Amino acid sequence: MSDKRRTLLIVEDDPALQKQMRWAFDQYETVVASNREEAIAQLRRHEPAVVTMDLGLPPAPDDVTEGFRLLGEILALAPDTKVVVLTGQHDRENAVRAVGMGAYDFFAKPFEPELLALTLDRALRMYDLQQDNRRLKVQQGSALSGVITRDAGMLKVCRLIEKVASANVTVMLLGESGTGKEVLARGLHELSPRRNERFVAINCAAIPENLLESELFGYEKGAFTGAVKQTLGKIEVANKGTLFLDEIGDLPMPLQAKLLRFLQERVIERIGGREEIPVDVRIVCATHQDVKGLIQTGRFREDLYYRLAEIVVDIPALRERDGDAVLLAHAFVQRFANDHGRGSMTLTDDAVQSIESHRWPGNIRELENAIKRAVIMAEGNCITSDDVGLDVSADDELDALNLRVVREEAERRAVVRVIARVNGNVARAAEVLGISRPTLYDLMNRFGLKKETST
């Protein structure tokens, strides 16, 4: 661990107690605040792992309203921060309420510094363990087989899938074509208690309307011309397992009514049959369409939507996943090179640059096809941008990925947004950004922002 001392934020309006605590906890880099506004400013500026705070704060030190307001703001701004609440001897009710809100622990005043120090040390260790665990989860990616990602938004989607897999609820996957909806549906099935049963998929847009009903519900022998034997539908075939209804937005209205009855009653009738057949199946559906828009135009039943959308998962497009296009491209190169006996193949810098700059309207499916074609067409073991078949943007040079340039651009955007939000108030902007006013003035000078618009 670094020799640099860890920061401890002390929120206390009594100057004598402030001084005592700074002396008692000199192993930390202590910063103090006397009221809620100062505490939030110090939290933004120093991002401490541990905070101690009194519930009785100005302007009404004898009331806990301001203290609970501060506690809520700290937990909203920095959910991982460990807050130790200091209370009066006979204030256990408020202490328990604080812990219920999310405070790490509480201590009664007057406190023994040695005992409080142990609690602070334990809180710090817990904070570090949680940060290490988060880093490990990012490094390990997702437990879903077939999902390759390091993007925070896509990892959040994977965690949601993992969380709902064990619950017997219907799941609706929303996202553009080619974003991996079926991969996630299969992953959900594999993580569920139904993993040893069948996963049955049907594309509602790929089957003509007059055949779709028999595909879903099955039919009895003689039900119509050509029905020479009893045939089970996809719903019945998936009994005890998972049924994936892809492109559910294209399901015809008459079948929507029939599917709704099945979801309500959990029984089906084959075409030409009279027997009600109970079926235990989990429904997962997906569409690239705006289902709520379809409801407004009368093309999708609202009651069916609420039956299918007990859990809704929005899948980000490939262009919204930081770094995933290149990560997937490398994986596809390796897979297709093995499939076609091309040995070891790599992407050149210009190929990587073209992949990063492309918008990928067809998402992962488009990328997969482009890489497969490039592996087949490449002359040697190096895949160039010409092999991938994408135009390289002249505005997207490699030096734009320099960390200093990226950091400076991020700082510029943050400063511009905050100054606009606080209507040019430099003192307030510095507080929100967690920096000093002189530092903010330096940044404004560097980015060419006029000081006369600030106060």
Side-chain angles (χ1 to χ4, degrees):
M1 184 178 288
S2 171
D3 291 336
K4 184 179 178 181
R5 291 188 297 171
R6 307 294 292 274
T7 302
L8 170 67
L9 172 57
I10 299 170
V11 185
E12 174 58 59
D13 62 328
D14 184 343
L17 190 51
Q18 275 186 11
K19 185 176 181 180
Q20 178 187 347
M21 293 181 70
R22 297 187 72 168
W23 174 82
F25 305 121
D26 59 356
Q27 70 270 35
Y28 297 98
E29 186 68 40
T30 53
V31 292
V32 298
S34 301
N35 53 52
R36 183 178 58 82
E37 289 80 6
E38 289 180 9
I40 293 300
Q42 297 284 41
L43 183 76
R44 291 181 181 276
R45 182 170 302 165
H46 297 284
E47 298 180 351
V50 182
V51 176
T52 69
M53 61 166 286
D54 189 1
L55 287 176
L57 295 174
D62 295 328
D63 185 49
V64 295
T65 303
E66 192 76 353
F68 278 115
R69 182 181 175 189
L70 172 60
L71 177 60
E73 290 180 355
I74 291 175
L75 295 174
L77 283 170
D80 292 338
T81 298
K82 304 304 171 195
V83 181
V84 179
V85 173
L86 304 180
T87 67
Q89 285 282 8
H90 305 293
D91 204 13
R92 186 177 181 84
E93 182 179 342
N94 284 324
V96 172
R97 176 186 166 193
V99 172
M101 285 179 61
Y104 176 75
D105 206 343
F106 64 90
F107 245 79
K109 293 182 181 179
F111 55 84
E112 296 184 31
E114 295 81 4
L115 294 179
L116 180 55
L118 290 174
T119 298
L120 298 180
D121 183 63
R122 190 171 69 247
L124 187 59
R125 290 176 184 275
M126 177 63 73
Y127 177 89
D128 289 340
L129 281 172
Q130 289 178 338
Q131 299 307 304
D132 289 342
N133 186 48
R134 181 171 285 106
R135 282 190 291 270
L136 283 172
K137 281 186 176 180
V138 171
Q139 291 168 8
Q140 292 168 356
S142 169
L144 293 167
S145 60
V147 177
I148 301 173
T149 185
R150 287 181 186 153
D151 174 67
M154 193 59 191
L155 285 171
K156 187 176 180 180
V157 167
C158 293
R159 304 291 178 235
L160 177 57
I161 293 291
E162 292 165 5
K163 186 178 294 185
V164 302
S166 60
N168 192 28
V169 293
T170 57
V171 177
M172 179 174 284
L173 305 172
L174 302 179
E176 296 179 8
S177 294
T179 49
K181 296 186 287 294
E182 184 166 349
V183 171
L184 288 172
R186 288 184 181 276
L188 188 150
H189 172 73
E190 292 298 324
L191 292 169
S192 76
R194 300 174 182 263
R195 66 179 68 87
N196 295 324
E197 304 295 338
R198 296 192 64 173
F199 176 88
V200 178
I202 184 169
N203 190 319
C204 300
I207 302 173
E209 181 176 343
N210 60 330
L211 298 179
L212 187 54
E213 182 178 8
S214 60
E215 281 290 315
L216 282 171
F217 295 93
Y219 53 86
E220 298 289 353
K221 180 179 177 180
F224 49 81
T225 303
V228 296
K229 63 177 182 178
Q230 182 190 79
T231 302
L232 305 186
K234 298 291 188 182
I235 295 176
E236 201 171 346
V237 169
N239 188 35
K240 304 296 183 183
T242 301
L243 177 66
F244 176 52
L245 300 173
D246 199 6
E247 298 303 344
I248 190 69
D250 290 294
L251 192 68
M253 288 297 286
L255 284 186
Q256 290 183 30
K258 196 165 182 179
L259 179 61
L260 176 62
R261 180 177 180 274
F262 164 68
L263 291 172
Q264 290 172 335
E265 307 295 334
R266 293 293 169 170
V267 295
I268 64 165
E269 290 181 14
R270 302 188 192 108
I271 298 174
R274 295 291 180 266
E275 179 187 359
E276 290 190 338
I277 304 165
V279 180
D280 173 23
V281 65
R282 180 179 193 170
I283 302 292
V284 179
C285 62
T287 182
H288 70 282
Q289 300 187 63
D290 175 13
V291 184
K292 292 187 176 179
L294 295 177
I295 293 171
Q296 291 175 355
T297 57
R299 294 164 56 198
F300 201 88
R301 295 180 63 115
E302 187 173 18
D303 48 2
L304 177 60
Y305 169 77
Y306 288 114
R307 284 286 182 178
L308 292 171
E310 291 178 324
I311 300 291
V312 177
V313 180
D314 289 298
I315 306 170
L318 181 57
R319 61 183 169 275
E320 298 167 355
R321 307 181 196 176
D322 290 338
D324 271 10
V326 174
L327 183 68
L328 285 161
H330 285 303
F332 289 149
V333 167
Q334 184 176 357
R335 182 209 298 176
F336 294 129
N338 290 336
D339 290 348
H340 293 85
R342 294 298 307 269
S344 177
M345 300 189 75
T346 58
L347 294 164
T348 61
D349 286 345
D350 65 328
V352 170
Q353 187 176 333
S354 68
I355 290 168
E356 287 183 324
S357 60
H358 190 60
R359 295 288 292 169
W360 299 111
N363 292 290
I364 299 171
R365 189 177 295 121
E366 180 189 0
L367 173 63
E368 186 176 11
N369 291 341
I371 298 300
K372 186 175 184 178
R373 180 179 63 247
V375 167
I376 295 171
M377 301 303 295
E379 293 293 338
N381 290 336
C382 291
I383 298 174
T384 67
S385 61
D386 290 336
D387 296 323
V388 179
L390 303 173
D391 294 328
V392 181
S393 173
D395 297 328
D396 193 18
E397 300 296 334
L398 277 177
D399 59 4
L401 297 181
N402 179 279
L403 279 178
R404 181 186 58 78
V405 175
V406 173
R407 185 164 52 245
E408 187 165 295
E409 176 60 19
E411 288 180 346
R412 186 193 66 78
R413 288 199 304 267
V415 169
V416 169
R417 286 182 59 191
V418 171
I419 287 179
R421 185 170 294 182
V422 300
N423 197 26
N425 186 317
V426 172
R428 176 64 180 147
E431 179 181 314
V432 171
L433 289 165
I435 58 178
S436 65
R437 288 180 66 177
T439 300
L440 178 55
Y441 277 123
D442 288 342
L443 289 173
M444 292 170 66
N445 285 332
R446 190 197 313 167
F447 301 141
L449 303 176
K450 295 181 180 180
K451 295 177 185 173
E452 55 264 33
T453 62
S454 308
T455 57

